[in-house]
Amino acid sequence: MALRNVLQFIILGLLDQQPLTGYELTKAFDSDIGEFWSANHSQIYPQLRRLEQSGQITHQEEVSGEKLARKRYTVTTDGRAALNDWLSAETEPTVGGRDEFAVKMYFIKSPDDPRLAHMLAAQLGFHEQKLAHLKIQMTRKFPNGQNNNDYGHYLVLDHAIRRETAYCEWLRSANSKK
């Protein structure tokens, strides 16, 4: 099965929440969406053009300052329909992401390998930092716990926290087995 262009649906979903500029869309990938999907401006802006050409989004020009004009994009009825179709479609399970650390672990032959302790400690530091960031995000976005207006966002953040917690536990366990 061909890979779907998921980026178009992420953009439609973000624009369905509120009208955004290309810059604001790019920044969304530095925070919330960036926790589980990455895209940069060189992917986002061409996708905005394609979505607009297909009639799924439209824009209004805004003037900021004396000369700076920017486009604020909104989802159209056709775009909302495409988003809803995508949300309703079956999702392929995520299998075998790229994990360079896991590949390196695969080739470690002995628990006495002198590189192992540093590798595990470095990964643990990274994942503990990521876990702390996710917990801060959860506290900021959902100070009173689950929110029914952003329930999906809550579930994704909860999943990410559980994933990072489990990864940290696994790294600690691997380090104690040496």
Side-chain angles (χ1 to χ4, degrees):
M1 181 169 158
L3 290 177
R4 288 186 252 207
N5 179 357
V6 176
L7 178 59
Q8 68 182 324
F9 300 111
I10 295 171
I11 290 172
L12 289 172
L14 289 169
L15 294 177
D16 192 45
Q17 292 177 343
Q18 65 184 0
L20 297 167
T21 65
Y23 175 78
E24 291 166 337
L25 282 164
T26 301
K27 296 312 280 175
F29 286 90
D30 292 338
S31 58
D32 297 344
I33 297 294
E35 299 296 343
F36 53 92
W37 200 272
S38 64
N40 54 44
H41 73 280
S42 66
Q43 296 169 294
I44 294 168
Y45 284 95
Q47 187 64 62
L48 286 169
R49 270 192 303 281
R50 287 190 291 275
L51 287 168
E52 192 160 29
Q53 288 169 351
S54 70
Q56 294 182 54
I57 64 172
T58 187
H59 79 270
Q60 298 240 337
E61 294 274 333
E62 293 180 349
V63 177
S64 176
E66 290 184 29
K67 296 181 181 178
L68 182 62
R70 61 183 176 198
K71 297 177 180 179
R72 184 160 300 276
Y73 295 92
T74 0
V75 68
T76 64
T77 304
D78 288 347
R80 193 167 288 112
L83 174 64
N84 287 327
D85 288 346
W86 174 72
L87 288 170
S88 300
E90 291 295 320
T91 303
E92 293 288 320
T94 302
V95 188
R98 293 183 172 194
D99 185 342
E100 184 179 0
F101 174 71
V103 171
K104 287 181 178 183
M105 286 288 98
Y106 182 83
F107 293 109
I108 296 292
K109 292 180 174 37
S110 162
D112 300 323
D113 188 305
R115 298 167 290 195
L116 188 57
H118 173 73
M119 291 169 75
L120 292 168
Q123 283 296 305
L124 181 59
F126 170 78
H127 286 281
E128 285 177 334
Q129 191 174 25
K130 188 167 184 173
L131 178 59
H133 168 76
L134 291 167
K135 287 180 175 179
I136 290 168
Q137 290 289 93
M138 180 66 90
T139 302
R140 276 192 198 140
K141 294 182 187 314
F142 304 101
N144 301 319
Q146 173 182 322
N147 178 333
N148 289 336
N149 293 329
D150 288 323
Y151 187 61
H153 187 171
Y154 172 82
L155 287 177
V156 168
L157 200 47
D158 181 60
H159 168 66
I161 289 169
R162 290 171 189 256
R163 180 194 63 225
E164 289 303 318
T165 299
Y167 207 107
C168 289
E169 289 171 5
W170 174 76
L171 288 165
R172 286 186 199 98
S173 172
N175 202 22
S176 70
K177 290 179 183 175
K178 308 185 319 100

